[in-house]
Amino acid sequence: MRALILLGLVGFAAQLVDGSLGMAYGVTSTTLLLAIGTNAAAASATVHLAEIGTTLASGLSHWRFGNIDWKVVGKIGVPGAIGAFAGATFLSSLSTETAAPVMSLILLTLGVYILIRFTAYGLPRGNLGKPLRKRFLAPLGLLAGFVDATGGGGWGPVGTPAILASGRLAPRKVIGSIDASEFLVAIAASVGFFVGIGSENINFAWVAVLLLGGVIAAPIAAWLVRHIPPRILGSAVGGLIVLTNVRTLLRSDWIDAPGNVQTIAYIAIAVLWAAAIAYSVREYRRDKAHESVEAVEDETRRTTTEEETASA
């Protein structure tokens, strides 16, 4: 019973972070399952089955609060599902241990860029409102879906920073669209795991408890992201990307840092992260008329209208 309560709390906390920052549900939940001895394929399968429900609840909540760009969902979700099915089917024979540090290094670079860009300058506005092309979103979806299925998480950590860095979509819509499209990824990955390992290694009680915690948290997270100013949200997401990928690199075979070195690194990053968020809050208060959610939405609509007029 204690384990089930813990899983429920983890599901709640993971979805609260995922729904408000666009990542972390799969990584957090899978890490816990692996820590208690679940094999990689079964852990990822358990999490993805739970995500069918949590991503549906999250998608509906984000839709209710107007956080979704459905064109982005379609362009990235279908390729993501294909990548997730492939990753789930071949998880037992493929290893991502070698590729993980390379991926983390790329994501760390994006995370540092996002953290500095949003903290120092606010939301990039040069491309705001311009369409995200299929030639960008389709390969991104394939990669993110494959990484998500083979690693037990990765849809948000790969997809969110890449779209944020493009500067074409407001942060809340990036997060809402990524969360909504993950529903397709979760279904495809679950089907792939049933094909690959069957259902005998999956604990459905764990699935249910993770699902319950996530469903409770989904509407809260969607409400939060609708009201957090883009500048502050970007700083928060950037810091999370940096922290999670530094953790992966320090634990990889490339570095294999001692425990005390890891602890010092995490504390240093946390302090810098907190300072970045504090600075973003100060700058937001100084110029609410330019930095607020409403101001960004107005600018996005204006740019979109100008683009449509020019192409007509």
Side-chain angles (χ1 to χ4, degrees):
M1 178 59 72
R2 183 178 298 176
L4 291 178
I5 294 174
L6 177 61
L7 279 172
L9 291 174
V10 167
F12 178 87
Q15 182 57 45
L16 192 63
V17 174
D18 188 279
S20 56
L21 296 183
M23 65 191 77
Y25 183 88
V27 173
T28 304
S29 303
T30 302
T31 299
L32 176 64
L33 291 176
L34 291 175
I36 61 179
T38 309
N39 71 63
S44 189
T46 300
V47 170
H48 281 91
L49 279 171
E51 281 185 323
I52 292 176
T54 60
T55 55
L56 178 60
S58 183
L60 290 172
S61 298
H62 279 297
W63 167 72
R64 179 185 176 188
F65 287 104
N67 298 336
I68 296 176
D69 185 320
W70 289 107
K71 292 181 180 178
V72 172
V73 171
K75 290 175 183 177
I76 198 173
V78 174
I82 295 171
F85 181 82
T89 304
F90 295 106
L91 178 59
S92 58
S93 59
L94 293 176
S95 173
T96 56
E97 291 180 3
T98 302
V102 177
M103 177 63 64
S104 290
L105 193 59
I106 295 171
L107 294 174
L108 176 60
T109 302
L110 280 171
V112 170
Y113 167 77
I114 291 167
L115 181 61
I116 294 174
R117 183 66 180 82
F118 276 82
T119 301
Y121 305 105
L123 175 67
R125 296 171 186 268
N127 293 318
L128 196 61
K130 294 181 180 179
L132 284 156
R133 304 298 182 187
K134 191 174 182 179
R135 61 176 176 268
F136 167 69
L137 292 174
L140 177 63
L142 280 169
L143 175 63
F146 185 84
V147 171
D148 187 83
T150 55
W155 179 251
V158 174
T160 299
I163 299 178
L164 272 177
S166 74
R168 290 174 177 250
L169 199 63
R172 71 178 183 88
K173 290 209 169 185
V174 175
I175 292 167
S177 300
I178 284 290
D179 272 17
S181 57
E182 193 172 8
F183 175 65
L184 300 175
V185 174
I187 291 176
S190 297
V191 172
F193 282 120
F194 277 121
V195 172
I197 66 173
S199 61
E200 60 273 6
N201 293 318
I202 301 173
N203 188 321
F204 287 95
W206 292 359
V207 173
V209 173
L210 282 171
L211 171 60
L212 178 61
V215 167
I216 294 172
I220 303 173
W223 180 86
L224 281 173
V225 77
R226 181 65 182 86
H227 291 82
I228 300 175
R231 184 174 199 143
I232 299 172
L233 189 57
S235 296
V237 173
L240 181 63
I241 297 166
V242 170
L243 182 62
T244 54
N245 287 287
V246 165
R247 178 178 179 272
T248 300
L249 287 169
L250 290 177
R251 294 187 174 194
S252 70
D253 292 336
W254 286 11
I255 300 176
D256 193 21
N260 59 336
V261 173
Q262 293 184 38
T263 301
I264 293 171
Y266 301 152
I267 293 174
I269 292 170
V271 170
L272 290 173
W273 187 13
I277 293 176
Y279 180 82
S280 291
V281 170
R282 190 185 74 179
E283 291 301 303
Y284 163 71
R285 288 177 175 173
R286 180 181 295 176
D287 190 11
K288 285 185 179 181
H290 188 64
E291 297 285 352
S292 68
V293 173
E294 291 76 13
V296 171
E297 291 302 306
D298 289 342
E299 185 168 344
T300 303
R301 282 192 291 268
R302 184 172 62 253
T303 306
T304 301
T305 301
E306 291 173 356
E307 288 281 322
E308 291 174 349
T309 303
S311 61

